[in-house]
């Protein structure tokens, strides 16, 4: 049985003060509840310590939005996986489309980052997904396959517990447009089949594949209820406690 994961990606929002407020509002709403899955928030680096303090004891885990591909050294502006671990982080997002687009990050960097994350006992959330014109020209599966085969076969020690995938069709991110359940299920099943080919059937059966792209309380239950969708990576709707917890409620309803 795959436990769902509802992960909030705060992106470039919320400094330590506002982040602490949001994390405690989420924590308050979830406190004392027995959840059938995992809840994660991924604040900006500087907000991580503040969230770590308030989230202690609540069913809210802590993640980061990226990390360095390097272990340490002369890499100005970077933050290493072991530093994140020391700060209380358990998950690191790698390969988000905004990193691909605005920072020109490549498969080689994704592979190196995921290996660093794994070397320190953390879990990686590896994002992939096609652009609008790639879908419109019928190349969505080809793109997804290339993104998965460009990284997964070269990882040092991936398994179903230290790696989570997130299918995020770029045309659905921050646009209010959501993949239809048909599209989401189709790409998720296709992705799981790719994982089976690359890492084996056992790993594929146990690996969580999240959906991301305008996921909100109103569509979470339907999306997360799909057979191959194991949770959500949430951008905009993770910035309001009510909406984010509404998505957790949707996930609970989907598995319950
Ligand atoms: P969104 O972002 O929920 O605002 O569409 C999702 C993401 O980028 O992870």
């Amino acid at each position: 049985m795959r436990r769902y994961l509802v992960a909030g990606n705060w992106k470039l929002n919320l400094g330590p003060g506002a982040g602490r407020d949001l994390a405690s509002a989420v924590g308050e709403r979830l406190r004392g509840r027995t959840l059938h899955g995992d809840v994660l928030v991924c604040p900006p680096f500087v907000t991580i310590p503040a969230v770590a303090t308030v989230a202690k004891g609540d069913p809210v885990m802590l993640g980061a939005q990226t990390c360095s591909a390097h272990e340490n050294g002369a890499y100005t502006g970077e933050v290493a996986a072991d530093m994140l671990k020391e700060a209380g982080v358990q998950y690191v997002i790698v390969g988000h489309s905004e990193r691909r687009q605005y920072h020109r990050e490549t498969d080689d960097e994704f592979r190196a980052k995921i290996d660093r994350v794994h070397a320190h006992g953390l879990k990686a959330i590896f994002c992939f997904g096609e652009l609008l014109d790639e879908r419109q020209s019928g190349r969505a599966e080809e793109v997804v396959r290339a993104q998965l085969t460009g990284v997964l076969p070269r990882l040092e020690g991936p398994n179903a517990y230290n790696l989570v995938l997130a299918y995020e069709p770029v045309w659905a991110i921050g646009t209010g447009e959501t993949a239809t359940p048909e599209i989401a299920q189709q790409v998720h099943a296709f992705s799981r089949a790719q994982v089976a080919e690359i890492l084996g059937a056992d790993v594929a059966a146990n690996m969580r594949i999240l959906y991301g792209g305008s996921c909100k309380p109103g569509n979470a239950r339907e999306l997360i209820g799909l057979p191959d969708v194991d949770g959500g990576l949430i951008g905009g709707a993770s910035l309001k406690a009510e909406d984010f917890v509404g998505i957790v409620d949707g996930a609970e309803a989907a598995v319950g």
Side-chain angles (χ1 to χ4, degrees):
M1 250 319 262
R2 301 185 296 264
R3 275 172 79 78
Y4 72 74
L5 173 63
V6 171
N9 174 8
W10 293 1
K11 307 191 180 183
L12 185 52
N13 297 291
L14 309 181
R20 183 186 303 118
D21 291 348
L22 176 58
S24 46
V26 169
E28 249 165 52
R29 286 172 160 82
L30 296 178
R31 199 166 297 151
R33 288 179 57 177
T34 308
L35 298 177
H36 299 88
D38 300 319
V39 179
L40 173 75
V41 295
C42 303
F45 289 138
V46 294
T47 302
I48 286 171
V51 172
T53 310
V54 294
K56 226 173 231 153
D58 289 332
V60 179
M61 293 187 293
L62 195 52
Q65 299 171 19
T66 183
C67 72
S68 176
H70 303 281
E71 195 54 27
N72 55 45
Y75 300 101
T76 302
E78 294 283 70
V79 175
D82 68 328
M83 299 172 187
L84 294 170
K85 182 179 185 177
E86 188 180 338
V89 160
Q90 290 171 268
Y91 286 81
V92 181
I93 299 171
V94 175
H96 191 280
S97 62
E98 287 150 16
R99 302 296 306 182
R100 295 174 188 264
Q101 185 181 353
Y102 305 132
H103 300 266
R104 303 258 170 260
E105 288 188 12
T106 62
D107 288 353
D108 282 345
E109 285 165 295
F110 300 147
R111 180 191 53 73
K113 288 178 182 214
I114 295 171
D115 282 343
R116 298 273 48 79
V117 165
H118 288 165
H120 293 288
L122 304 177
K123 301 175 202 295
I125 301 176
F126 177 58
C127 306
F128 61 96
E130 79 283 359
L131 302 168
L132 181 60
D133 69 306
E134 292 167 338
R135 171 152 293 276
Q136 286 173 338
S137 59
R139 293 190 295 124
E141 288 195 348
E142 180 192 320
V143 169
V144 162
R145 181 192 285 122
Q147 289 173 332
L148 294 175
T149 55
V151 173
L152 300 191
R154 299 156 63 216
L155 295 174
E156 278 163 14
N159 61 50
Y161 306 99
N162 67 13
L163 184 62
V164 175
L165 300 180
Y167 169 58
E168 299 207 301
V170 179
W171 45 270
I173 295 178
T175 58
E177 189 139 339
T178 314
T180 61
E182 292 72 30
I183 290 180
Q185 172 54 30
Q186 186 203 344
V187 180
H188 278 241
F190 175 79
S191 306
R192 199 176 299 285
Q194 296 299 305
V195 175
E197 266 180 42
I198 300 166
L199 301 174
D202 263 16
V203 174
N206 290 303
M207 184 167 287
R208 292 183 289 184
I209 307 180
L210 315 183
Y211 168 79
S214 301
C215 189
K216 39 191 182 260
N219 59 28
R221 179 182 181 159
E222 184 175 31
L223 286 164
I224 297 172
L226 296 167
D228 283 294
V229 177
D230 308 308
L233 184 53
I234 321 298
S238 72
L239 297 175
K240 277 203 194 136
E242 202 181 315
D243 289 349
F244 188 57
V245 172
I247 292 172
V248 175
D249 291 336
E252 283 292 313
V255 299

